[in-house]
Amino acid sequence: MIQRIQSLYLLLAAAAGTAALSFNLWKATLSSNPNPVTVNASSNYLLFVLYIIIILLSIGTIFLYKKRKVQFRLSIFNILFAFAALAYQYVVVQKTANKLTEGGTTIVSASYLPASFLPIVIIILLFLAARGMYKDEKLIKSLDRLR
C-alpha cells in the first residue's frame, strides 16, 4: 500500500489540502483599519467542503490499492475537485475585494498568500499519482498477456 509511489503522492496531496484549509489564502490591508482583512477556506462553507472532499478522497484512495481502476477514477475526480477549489477560491477572494471596495473602504495593498497556491500543488500531486496508477495497470495487463 504505502510502498507504491502514488500512495505517497496521495498522502502529500492530502497534507497540502490540510495546509490550504488551515492557513489564510489572501490578505488585504485597508486604509481605514490597521488590522488586515484575511480570507481563508474555513470562512467560506463551499470552499471548506471542497477542501474536505479533496482531503478525504485522497486519503480514501490510498486504501483502494487492490482496485486500481477505481483508484484511478477517484484520483481523476479529485483532480476535478481541486480545479473547482482553485477556481472558487479566486471567486471568493474577488467577492471579498469587491465587497470591501463597495463599502467605501480603500484597499492599500492586497496579496495572495502562499497557501493559495496549494491547489496547484494538489493538482500536480494527484496527476502524478494517477499516472503511477495508470502505469501499474498497464504493467499488470502486460503480465496477464504473458500467462
Side-chain angles (χ1 to χ4, degrees):
M1 170 173 73
I2 202 73
Q3 298 90 354
R4 298 167 59 207
I5 190 70
Q6 55 265 31
S7 297
L8 293 175
Y9 289 143
L10 290 168
L11 192 62
L12 288 173
T18 304
L21 191 61
S22 303
F23 297 116
N24 291 330
L25 304 171
W26 183 74
K27 179 176 78 170
T29 307
L30 306 177
S31 62
S32 61
N33 190 357
N35 296 330
V37 175
T38 59
V39 172
N40 56 15
S42 301
S43 64
N44 187 294
Y45 182 72
L46 182 59
L47 195 57
F48 179 78
V49 169
L50 277 172
Y51 278 117
I52 292 295
I53 289 171
I54 290 169
I55 293 166
L56 292 178
L57 206 53
S58 294
I59 291 173
T61 305
I62 293 172
F63 298 106
L64 294 173
Y65 58 92
K66 290 186 180 181
K67 300 175 183 176
R68 288 174 303 279
K69 290 180 183 178
V70 173
Q71 192 180 35
F72 179 76
R73 287 186 188 125
L74 287 178
S75 294
I76 297 300
F77 283 129
N78 208 359
I79 290 172
L80 295 176
F81 282 125
F83 272 118
L86 182 65
Y88 191 66
Q89 173 181 305
Y90 176 74
V91 169
V92 167
V93 167
Q94 288 303 314
K95 278 185 184 178
T96 305
N98 290 340
K99 187 190 300 183
L100 288 172
T101 55
E102 287 174 2
T105 58
T106 306
I107 298 175
V108 176
S109 68
S111 63
Y112 282 96
L113 298 175
S116 65
F117 300 105
L118 286 174
I120 297 169
V121 173
I122 292 170
I123 291 167
I124 292 169
L125 289 169
L126 290 172
F127 174 76
L128 291 173
R131 192 178 77 176
M133 292 169 208
Y134 179 75
K135 284 182 179 179
D136 278 358
E137 186 63 29
K138 201 170 157 183
L139 178 67
I140 296 298
K141 283 183 181 180
S142 71
L143 291 176
D144 284 344
R145 274 185 275 153
L146 292 175
R147 289 183 195 177

